Amino acid sequence: MKKQPDEPVSDTTALRDKIVGLSESSGRKSYYPMLQQKIRELQSEITERWRAENTLRQTLERINRQQAVTAEIATDPNVFHGRLRDAAPMITVKMSHALEVSRTSLWVKEGAQFLCLDKFDARQGEHISGRTLRLEEFPTYHAAIVRETVAVENVRQDQRTMTFAASYLTPHGVEAMLDVPVQIDGELAGIISFEHTAGPRSWQPDEVTFAGRIADQVALILENKRRRLAEERLREAHAELSRNFRFTEVLLDAIPIPLFYKDSQLRFLGCNRAFTEVMGITHEAIQGKSTSDLWPDMAPVYEENDRRLLGGENGSAYEAKVRNKDGELREVIFAKQVFFDERNRTDGIIGSFVDITERIRSEKE
């Protein structure tokens, strides 16, 4: 009778029995335990590789989403023009989408407290603004946020958030938090906050990096605003200074008595119109010159008196001679006084003189 072919082996048990049977019937050592171990190792390697690839895929998806949000925030017109208050609702919505959290908020420092420009609740689709926060009421959290990112996996177990868990976190269902400081020149200028409500959460490095980039964008907006305000104040101060300078020039020119002023090194800073008309020297020609440069034969008397005045003498009035534009010596009375800088240090001398030549002649006659 013709022998029928063996039935095909359809399961692992039959295959194992066949391998063992063949090994034993052949009298050789069975390789089945070794083969089984290799299969387990291969299965474990495949599982780990799948997990790694899945983790990498999820990370890349998060990073792509975060980069898209970062670009959208950076190119928003309100952000571009530094209108942070107007941009805040858009920023909080984008942040919520990027990290898939229930709530996001943006706080900026105003005086001794922090003002909420916008808080977005993704579950309700609502925006809230105007609330204030004083960090001094939460010293542990305050000490942490001024120097580093506060990434909390479980708000009820972390020392930094336990102090306000009962008053805020628990009633609002917050389970995990990621708060990033907005710093300008080492100073805490704002806070970016992410609140997760679906149980504890381990914040990934790319998520912390994304939150830091948003904080940097906010810091740049605030810094640009500060710079613009400083520039505006500088322009206003410069305009005010220019107005005061022009007013002073007009005021000095309106005085019919010759006036002049020097710095602490006894170099002329300027004079009025009466001085130029009497002495025959222009305002520009006198600037930066000393008495020795202009009237060397009379300089010793003038400079001796000026040094006493700079040394602390309280005002000075004395008679002396000046040579006018016609080369004629005129008898005058000088009156001088020091002026001070913003630190109350002696900064120079202002003086005037009155021509008494005709009076002396009349007295002699």
Side-chain angles (χ1 to χ4, degrees):
M1 188 170 107
K2 188 176 180 180
K3 185 179 180 181
Q4 297 295 328
D6 294 337
E7 294 294 328
V9 180
S10 58
D11 55 18
T12 305
T13 302
L15 177 61
R16 181 193 61 192
D17 293 341
K18 187 174 182 178
I19 293 174
V20 172
L22 289 173
S23 299
E24 290 176 350
S25 63
S26 61
R28 295 192 298 269
K29 182 180 179 181
S30 175
Y31 289 96
Y32 177 73
M34 184 183 299
L35 178 61
Q36 193 176 38
Q37 177 65 26
K38 292 296 182 181
I39 291 174
R40 285 196 297 267
E41 292 177 358
L42 182 59
Q43 289 176 335
S44 176
E45 183 180 348
I46 292 173
T47 302
E48 290 300 322
R49 183 175 298 178
W50 179 86
R51 289 176 180 173
E53 291 177 352
N54 188 53
T55 301
L56 178 60
R57 182 172 59 256
Q58 293 177 349
T59 301
L60 291 176
E61 289 175 355
R62 289 198 310 267
I63 292 175
N64 289 335
R65 187 169 62 248
Q66 295 161 11
Q67 289 178 341
V69 167
T70 303
E72 290 171 1
I73 293 176
T75 56
D76 183 83
N78 287 322
V79 172
F80 180 79
H81 293 288
R83 297 188 291 264
L84 183 59
R85 190 178 296 272
D86 296 333
M90 178 275 301
I91 293 175
T92 54
V93 170
K94 298 295 184 183
M95 293 194 307
S96 177
H97 170 69
L99 263 60
E100 297 180 333
V101 294
S102 301
R103 298 189 197 93
T104 52
S105 55
L106 169 57
W107 304 73
V108 295
K109 188 175 183 180
E110 288 194 356
Q113 60 187 8
F114 285 79
L115 172 67
C116 179
L117 293 186
D118 188 78
K119 173 177 283 190
F120 175 64
D121 190 325
R123 298 175 303 178
Q124 305 296 329
E126 295 178 347
H127 292 270
I128 301 174
S129 62
R131 293 181 178 177
T132 58
L133 172 68
R134 298 184 68 89
L135 293 185
E136 291 79 5
E137 299 175 3
F138 312 102
T140 306
Y141 172 82
H142 187 191
I145 194 65
V146 296
R147 65 176 187 272
E148 62 186 6
T149 296
V150 177
V152 180
E153 297 183 13
N154 190 324
V155 296
R156 295 178 182 82
Q157 298 179 0
D158 196 291
Q159 294 291 334
R160 296 168 294 182
T161 54
M162 288 175 60
T163 53
F164 54 94
S167 60
Y168 175 79
L169 301 178
T170 300
H172 290 83
V174 181
E175 299 286 346
M177 285 182 60
L178 174 60
D179 285 6
V180 182
V182 177
Q183 295 184 330
I184 300 178
D185 297 330
E187 174 189 354
L188 183 63
I191 300 173
I192 299 292
S193 181
F194 299 83
E195 299 177 5
H196 183 70
T197 58
R201 173 170 174 171
S202 178
W203 302 99
Q204 300 302 317
D206 58 275
E207 295 174 328
V208 176
T209 300
F210 165 77
R213 288 175 179 170
I214 300 300
D216 291 341
Q217 285 187 324
V218 173
L220 183 61
I221 296 172
L222 293 175
E223 191 171 15
N224 289 339
K225 182 179 179 180
R226 288 187 180 184
R227 187 182 69 250
R228 286 195 300 271
L229 291 175
E231 291 174 350
E232 182 64 26
R233 287 194 294 266
L234 182 60
R235 285 193 294 268
E236 291 176 356
H238 185 267
E240 181 67 20
L241 183 62
S242 298
R243 286 194 296 271
N244 292 338
F245 184 74
R246 289 194 297 270
F247 173 79
T248 302
E249 283 188 324
V250 173
L251 177 63
L252 291 178
D253 288 341
I255 298 175
I257 300 174
L259 294 169
F260 58 90
Y261 38 102
K262 305 177 180 180
D263 61 20
S264 58
Q265 303 301 317
L266 301 181
R267 294 185 296 264
F268 282 97
L269 297 172
C271 60
N272 69 347
R273 184 176 301 168
F275 186 93
T276 63
E277 292 175 350
V278 171
M279 304 302 294
I281 187 170
T282 65
H283 181 276
E284 292 73 19
I286 199 175
Q287 285 183 324
K289 302 293 180 60
S290 66
T291 308
S292 299
D293 297 328
L294 301 173
W295 302 286
D297 55 332
M298 302 177 182
V301 175
Y302 301 152
E303 292 180 351
E304 179 184 356
N305 181 271
D306 291 345
R307 291 192 181 93
R308 288 202 306 270
L309 196 59
L310 292 174
E313 189 174 290
N314 187 22
S316 176
Y318 62 95
E319 293 186 14
K321 289 182 173 60
V322 299
R323 181 175 291 104
N324 64 13
K325 61 183 178 181
D326 299 322
E328 180 183 358
L329 289 177
R330 307 292 293 181
E331 299 284 346
V332 299
I333 294 180
F334 278 102
K336 298 179 181 179
Q337 186 58 275
V338 296
F339 59 87
F340 304 91
D341 62 11
E342 68 280 359
R343 297 182 180 179
N344 203 33
R345 298 177 302 188
T346 301
D347 202 26
I349 294 173
I350 184 169
S352 65
F353 62 83
V354 178
D355 192 329
I356 59 172
T357 304
E358 299 303 327
R359 191 187 73 185
I360 292 177
R361 288 180 181 174
S362 298
E363 290 175 354
K364 289 181 179 180
E365 291 178 356

